[in-house]
Amino acid sequence: MSLENLYPSPVFKDFLPIEYRDLVEHGPYNNRNGADKQTVKVTDMGKFKEVIEEHPMCAGCAMTLFIRLVYIGMPNPEHTIVVGTAGCGRLAISQASVPFIYGNYGDTNAVASGLKRGLEVRFPNQKKDVVVMAGDGGLIDIGFQGMMHSWFRKEKFVTIMLDNEVYGNTGGQESGMTNHGKVLKMAPRGKFGEKVDALGLAKVSGVDYICRLAPTNPARVARTVRRAIMVAREVGHSYIQAYTSCNIEYSIPTPDVMKDAFEIEKERYGFEEIISPKAKEYLDEIEKKAKKKKSDK
Ligand SMILES: Cc1ncc(C[n+]2csc(CCOP(=O)(O)OP(=O)(O)O)c2C)c(N)n1
Ligand code: SF4
């Protein structure tokens, strides 16, 4: 997509549905203040039209909040393509006005590798960002081989794991990211093995930007996504692992979803960034430039 594709011809403008006009006039594309990137802020949520229109996920699902924040963090949503697969997240991801490719369960990182390489050839003068966003089952179990090899090859895209520590969409089977001993509807004897150390795997695979976080600090989520995308543009692969609890399969009362996120963050899911020296140098450079631009205003 590009902004030219998004803006309607003036003669059609009055006939478009209100939500489309709203997106064009009040979406992140039109909140740029002269910049070439979206400038909407998490603190302004509710005052601009988000690229996610609506979604059929469960009420209070933390994954939904996280996904909304991912789209707010994208520097150039009109030049971004999201690759996903079966699982709860795609129910919201497929409603966004950002192109979405639905890979087969397990294929996401192979699809994204080919896509990113193809986009570089087709659009040599325009950076296109590719983001894989899929569940823990889709990535650490069935998509494990594709994910690991994309990491080894340092493919220039972002992998985001929506880690609800269960197969939520199919009714509660354990995944590699479920904790040891956890009893679930379809794991009645409790998880036998340990939670896979996906951060450790990312580190030894040479992933340039790695982050683990919970959606307790919305501005930090958006900043993390921005950092991951920028590193994937210029340096190498980025991996974000987000705790996005499943209130249905973990029986978390809806009003307590954020309380749970804070507790789990404190207990075992603290914010952690692992950045390679090359990625750090690059991030320091662009973040310094951005700060200077702000102070010059
Ligand atoms: C090849 C293949 N195997 C199995 C399925 C069935 N399936 C759909 S969603 C899903 C589990 C999703 O779990 P996860 O990836 O952790 O995402 P969540 O729903 O928890 O967000 C499975 C096994 C499928 N669609 N395709
Ligand atoms: S089943 Fe769980 S992860 Fe899926 S939408 Fe519902 S609360 Fe969210």
Side-chain angles (χ1 to χ4, degrees):
M1 206 161 63
S2 77
L3 281 179
E4 286 75 43
N5 293 355
L6 186 85
Y7 292 136
S9 155
V11 291
F12 288 128
K13 202 176 144 201
D14 292 342
F15 302 100
L16 286 168
I18 177 72
E19 63 269 27
Y20 193 89
R21 271 184 288 162
D22 213 11
L23 180 67
V24 173
E25 283 159 23
H26 307 294
Y29 312 109
N30 229 357
N31 276 285
R32 297 186 171 227
N33 307 325
D36 60 351
K37 294 178 191 155
Q38 76 163 339
T39 52
V40 293
K41 285 197 233 82
V42 167
T43 43
D44 290 331
M45 270 174 105
K47 293 191 211 148
F48 60 89
K49 180 77 171 168
E50 291 176 50
V51 294
I52 294 221
E53 295 279 324
E54 52 191 32
H55 62 78
M57 291 176 75
C58 301
C61 175
M63 192 184 287
T64 324
L65 168 66
F66 179 80
I67 292 170
R68 287 170 64 197
L69 295 170
V70 169
Y71 284 101
I72 292 173
M74 286 175 182
N76 287 82
E78 72 274 21
H79 291 298
T80 305
I81 298 178
V82 176
V83 181
T85 188
C88 286
R90 54 79 207 235
L91 297 168
I93 296 167
S94 56
Q95 308 298 318
S97 61
V98 166
F100 171 57
I101 295 178
Y102 188 102
N104 276 328
Y105 204 57
D107 285 358
T108 48
N109 286 47
V111 169
S113 299
L115 177 68
K116 178 67 191 203
R117 293 179 189 203
L119 289 169
E120 276 177 359
V121 175
R122 173 67 182 78
F123 300 100
N125 302 319
Q126 174 62 59
K127 292 282 182 195
K128 297 279 183 181
D129 302 319
V130 173
V131 176
V132 166
M133 196 161 23
D136 45 303
L139 291 172
I140 210 71
D141 296 336
I142 301 177
F144 185 69
Q145 179 187 354
M147 182 180 77
M148 289 304 293
H149 279 279
S150 72
W151 290 359
F152 295 150
R153 293 193 306 268
K154 297 185 184 294
E155 299 286 351
K156 287 185 163 173
F157 63 87
V158 182
T159 303
I160 300 180
M161 181 192 286
L162 304 166
D163 183 16
N164 59 1
E165 309 186 314
V166 65
Y167 285 29
N169 203 221
T170 42
Q173 296 82 6
E174 68 181 46
S175 88
M177 299 302 281
T178 304
N179 280 299
H180 175 75
K182 180 70 194 167
V183 172
L184 293 160
K185 278 184 207 145
M186 298 207 198
R189 288 186 294 177
K191 164 98 179 270
F192 179 69
E194 296 294 329
K195 183 178 174 87
V196 175
D197 178 12
L199 286 193
L201 289 173
K203 197 173 167 197
V204 295
S205 308
V207 172
D208 278 284
Y209 179 83
I210 304 166
C211 184
R212 177 183 66 187
L213 80 178
T216 50
N217 179 335
R220 189 169 62 189
V221 174
R223 193 195 63 204
T224 299
V225 170
R226 209 168 298 127
R227 290 184 131 198
I229 289 179
M230 296 311 286
V231 168
R233 256 189 214 174
E234 298 296 339
V235 184
H237 199 89
S238 293
Y239 171 61
I240 297 174
Q241 184 179 307
Y243 176 67
T244 52
S245 68
C246 176
N247 41 319
I248 297 300
E249 297 308 331
Y250 276 69
S251 305
I252 308 165
T254 302
D256 294 341
V257 166
M258 287 317 290
K259 188 170 155 241
D260 165 80
F262 278 103
E263 278 169 11
I264 298 289
E265 177 181 55
K266 203 166 164 206
E267 245 170 61
R268 58 182 177 84
Y269 225 101
F271 180 78
E272 188 178 346
E273 265 184 327
I274 305 167
I275 312 178
S276 73
K278 210 168 151 201
K280 178 143 189 4
E281 195 184 317
Y282 174 65
L283 285 174
D284 284 349
E285 186 194 319
I286 57 170
E287 286 172 4
K288 222 181 272 164
K289 257 191 217 158
K291 246 187 218 156
K292 186 167 179 324
K293 227 175 172 180
K294 222 173 171 184
S295 66
D296 287 350
K297 271 186 192 165

